[in-house]
Amino acid sequence: MNLSHAYGHPVSEEDGAALLGRALDLGVTFLDTAALYGGGNNERLLAKAVMHRRAQFTLSSKCVLDMHDGKRGLDGSPTAIARTLDGALQRLGTDYIDLYSLHRLDRNVPVEESVGALVRAKEAGKIGAIGLSEMSAETIRRAHAVHPIAAVQSEYSPVVRNPEIAVLDTCRELGIGFVAFSPVARGLLCDAVRDDAYESDNDIRRAMPRFTGENLRHNLIAVGAYNALALQVGATPAQLALAWVLARGNHVVPIPGTRNIAHLEENLGALDLTLDASVFAEIDAIFADGGIRGPRYSAAMQAQIDTEIFPGEELA
């Protein structure tokens, strides 16, 4: 996502291709995109940059949350899903996507109907596994009853713990992989956010309450303690966050996004960390009891999220 969407101006095609190629060179085996990212441009970037190396990675993309009639919106109808999938296959320059997910829940369409559309796509040989993104345990169970769900994506990091309410346990029970996006908290846990003077008006964090104003100033106090802990254990803040996510369970896989090859290499260094459980306990303590203030999404964005929330979170 970072290469084409949400954090200001997209990188050049050349820089994006170089980063994706380096990721494969370093052994990354899972690349996640979506129809929404850059209005399809991220899928086009993957086609040009890495699809000639298709045997080296699992290709993941998503539907439902897309540009509909020129506007961002949800459409979980089977017709829209089929249209988005066919467009994705064309943009990606392939006839098969390994993992295809419902990006969000369209509350106007029963999830069983949306999953049914993906089942038919699988039967037609267009996709392999079926996934979900930002959905509740109840919705996951309903979807899984139609067809086994292979993976569920949700935001998860030391500062975003919503999956711990029910989704992580549900995935473990049903044998579903959990894909943790934004594992370094949109830059908060890699010393990349120090104030709310974001360079671009298009930066998604401008509309996220915990990344602006008094909320952010409060949150940076806890982040400062966290950064000090990372220094103490000989890791970068990003590596410490990724090690925390990796320690959550064998079924949990983080997908850190970056635009920078040096940051990519830094992130992968988390695999070499060996940390005592007491370090993870210290992380939990830093962010407990109001360490982080502010909802993770704006009200408009939260309306498209099905994942469980903590008491009072919408008003935090």
Side-chain angles (χ1 to χ4, degrees), residues 213-229:
E214 289 302 320
N215 284 337
L216 178 61
R217 283 185 278 278
H218 169 85
N219 296 341
L220 288 175
I221 296 171
V223 169
Y226 169 84
N227 291 346
L229 176 61

Side-chain angles (χ1 to χ4, degrees), residues 24-95:
L24 297 185
D25 292 343
L26 292 171
V28 171
T29 59
F30 182 84
L31 298 180
D32 179 75
T33 184
L36 179 70
Y37 301 161
N41 285 334
N42 193 251
E43 291 175 323
R44 295 184 185 96
L45 173 61
L46 264 67
K48 294 179 181 179
V50 294
M51 289 302 285
H52 63 287
R53 301 174 65 176
R54 177 66 183 276
Q56 295 178 244
F57 65 93
T58 295
L59 174 64
S60 168
S61 193
K62 301 183 282 294
C63 59
V64 178
L65 185 57
D66 197 357
M67 300 301 292
H68 301 287
D69 297 324
K71 297 181 180 180
R72 171 185 167 129
L74 294 174
D75 192 339
S77 67
T79 299
I81 288 172
R83 182 172 59 247
T84 297
L85 172 57
D86 286 343
L89 293 170
Q90 183 178 28
R91 290 187 293 270
L92 287 161
T94 185
D95 59 2

Side-chain angles (χ1 to χ4, degrees), residues 41 46 49 69 84 133 149 177 190 213 269 289 309:
N41 285 334
L46 264 67
D69 297 324
T84 297
S133 178
I149 300 301
C190 58
D289 300 326
I309 62 174

Side-chain angles (χ1 to χ4, degrees), residues 248-262:
R248 298 304 96 186
N250 292 332
H251 66 309
V252 178
V253 177
I255 49 169
T258 185
R259 302 173 169 213
N260 184 295
I261 289 178

Side-chain angles (χ1 to χ4, degrees), residues 193-198 205-221 293-294:
V193 178
R194 299 178 182 179
D195 56 46
D196 55 7
Y198 301 108
R205 292 168 294 190
R206 287 182 176 271
M208 294 178 165
R210 65 179 47 175
F211 283 93
T212 59
E214 289 302 320
N215 284 337
L216 178 61
R217 283 185 278 278
H218 169 85
N219 296 341
L220 288 175
I221 296 171
R293 290 181 186 168

